[in-house]
Amino acid sequence: MLHPTDVPVTVLPHGRGLDLPARATRDAAGLDLRAAVPESEPVTLAPGAFALVPTGIQIALPEGTEGQVRPRSGLAFKRGVTVLNSPGTIDSGYRGEIGVLLINHGSEPFEVTRGERIAQLVVSRYEPIRFVEVDALEDTERGAGGFGSTGTA
């Protein structure tokens, strides 16, 4: 069984009363992010429109990790609403409010209401790198083959 890592979270005044990010099932990789818009002022996304939707939380991810803000598949499939800069990256040093940049690719207006699950957050470890200039790279089977070079589709 995997043991969760505790991540400090601050709930901002407009996020109070909303559930903290959580997995919908035990084996889910993503934690649902909720819209912290006022109940009396939902955000309406016309077809083709986008908006930055607040979540009402700030987090302190562990060093060596990043948070990836990703679309919710059901929202994308059923309504055509997705995360515009997917995946959005939250660096471990960022301490501002998490915002979700939603876009409506659907044909009907979409109303974002308070507490609605609008995206998911996947936290991943990463390997810090630095680029070192060399005269040539080692050969590989693929070489310099670009788009479409490894198959027909």
Side-chain angles (χ1 to χ4, degrees), residues 43-53 82-84 100-104:
V43 173
T44 300
L45 293 173
F50 59 90
L52 183 61
V53 180
T82 190
V83 177
L84 183 57
V100 177
L101 189 55
L102 289 181
I103 187 167
N104 182 359

Side-chain angles (χ1 to χ4, degrees), residues 92-113:
S92 63
Y94 177 66
R95 294 297 184 268
E97 180 177 6
I98 295 174
V100 177
L101 189 55
L102 289 181
I103 187 167
N104 182 359
H105 287 300
S107 59
E108 300 292 325
F110 178 75
E111 189 174 86
V112 180
T113 58

Side-chain angles (χ1 to χ4, degrees), residues 19-78:
D19 291 338
L20 291 178
R23 291 174 169 77
T25 63
R26 187 179 87 105
D27 294 326
L31 297 97
D32 289 327
L33 295 173
R34 296 182 179 273
V37 297
E39 197 140 354
S40 60
E41 298 176 40
V43 173
T44 300
L45 293 173
F50 59 90
L52 183 61
V53 180
T55 62
I57 61 168
Q58 299 166 300
I59 61 175
L61 292 173
E63 186 176 357
T65 66
E66 58 134 349
Q68 298 175 5
V69 179
R70 299 181 183 180
R72 292 192 64 246
S73 59
L75 200 55
F77 178 70
K78 294 175 184 174

